[in-house]
Amino acid sequence: MAISGVAHGVIRFTTNGTLTGRRQVTYLRWIGATTAGHTLTLSDSNGARWFESEADGANFIDIHPVFNEINGLVVTLTSGTFYVYTR
């Protein structure tokens, strides 16, 4: 499954995906990128970028606090798993 946990407070993306609706986001975490240069981007429904990262090697981990409401989640993911923590 590409997107899971939508109703559980932790949304998990394992591939590119889009979700509609407003969410109160607290943290973003990207784990398990497989190769240096792989990228991840999170934008809202209006195209505003909230997070972007580039892996520096295998098993890359990145975490970012947000504490803001985001309208729609548009994720572009090269590898790994991306978690969006909501409340």
Side-chain angles (χ1 to χ4, degrees):
M1 178 180 269
I3 303 171
S4 62
V6 175
H8 301 288
V10 180
I11 303 167
R12 178 178 178 239
F13 291 84
T14 56
T15 187
N16 297 343
T18 301
L19 292 175
T20 59
R22 291 189 176 277
R23 289 177 173 76
Q24 185 66 37
V25 176
T26 56
Y27 285 93
L28 306 170
R29 184 173 64 133
W30 180 30
I31 64 169
T34 57
T35 306
H38 280 191
T39 60
L40 170 112
T41 303
L42 170 67
S43 301
D44 64 19
S45 295
N46 295 323
R49 286 211 173 151
W50 285 86
F51 180 72
E52 59 186 346
S53 184
E54 181 176 331
D56 62 3
N59 301 315
F60 180 76
I61 297 172
D62 200 355
I63 189 165
H64 183 72
V66 176
F67 297 102
N68 211 331
E69 188 173 86
I70 299 177
N71 185 21
L73 302 173
V74 181
V75 173
T76 305
L77 174 66
T78 310
S79 67
T81 304
F82 182 56
Y83 296 93
V84 178
Y85 294 83
T86 63
R87 51 179 173 139

